[in-house]
Amino acid sequence: MCCLDIRKKGIILDIPIKKYTGIVLQVMLMYGFYWIGTWIQSILHLPLTGSIVGMLLLFIVIQMGWIRMSWGNEGSSWLQSNLQLLFIPPTVGIINHFDFFTANTILLVLGLILSTLVTCLLSAKIGEWLMTWIRSHRDKKEAISCQHSSSE
């Protein structure tokens, strides 16, 4: 039975059970990786949150080919389509602690500006360093290939 046929007051609802079962199982799989990541983080006292450890673990498992990326497509699409619901708890937290934010507005704004500037500067410096490194290695490869061709 692929669909559940519900007849209520003359209205027929076809619910694709296989699709929704797949979504539930995929979300449970992702939650399982979150739970394992949280467990690893608490045991090893890592400086990362458990959700990040779980996401890295899921990435490694996908890269090793133990799990296909297609196994999580429907579940991740469902989570993304309902993402706005996941932002309700932080918003309620901000409303509950609004006095903290009003009392520390200047510090929070300065912190945001400073962290944005540091992020931009670090990104620019790392990009600059990578471009220099790539150019130097490209020049070394060209020099080696020129030496081989001149010796022949």
Side-chain angles (χ1 to χ4, degrees), residues 38 66 73 82 87 105-106 109:
T38 303
W66 295 350
N73 284 347
N82 294 298
F87 285 111
T105 303
I106 294 173
V109 170

Side-chain angles (χ1 to χ4, degrees), residues 7-102:
R7 296 175 192 269
K8 187 174 183 181
K9 295 182 183 178
I11 300 172
I12 298 173
L13 300 173
D14 285 330
I15 301 172
I17 293 177
K18 186 175 181 181
K19 176 184 177 184
Y20 290 117
T21 304
I23 290 172
V24 169
L25 290 174
Q26 291 172 12
V27 170
M28 286 174 57
L29 176 74
M30 288 181 239
Y31 184 72
F33 275 98
Y34 161 77
W35 185 79
I36 292 169
T38 303
W39 180 73
I40 291 172
Q41 189 273 335
S42 66
I43 297 265
L44 300 177
H45 303 290
L46 298 173
L48 299 171
T49 62
S51 58
I52 299 295
V53 174
M55 190 171 27
L56 289 172
L57 188 63
L58 178 61
F59 176 75
I60 291 168
V61 169
I62 289 172
Q63 291 301 313
M64 294 178 80
W66 295 350
I67 292 179
R68 281 188 249 143
M69 187 129 55
S70 63
W71 291 358
N73 284 347
E74 288 180 352
S76 62
S77 295
W78 181 82
L79 283 173
Q80 286 179 341
S81 66
N82 294 298
L83 192 61
Q84 68 273 15
L85 295 176
L86 302 176
F87 285 111
I88 291 173
T91 305
V92 170
I94 289 172
I95 292 170
N96 285 341
H97 301 288
F98 193 72
D99 54 336
F100 170 79
F101 290 100
T102 55

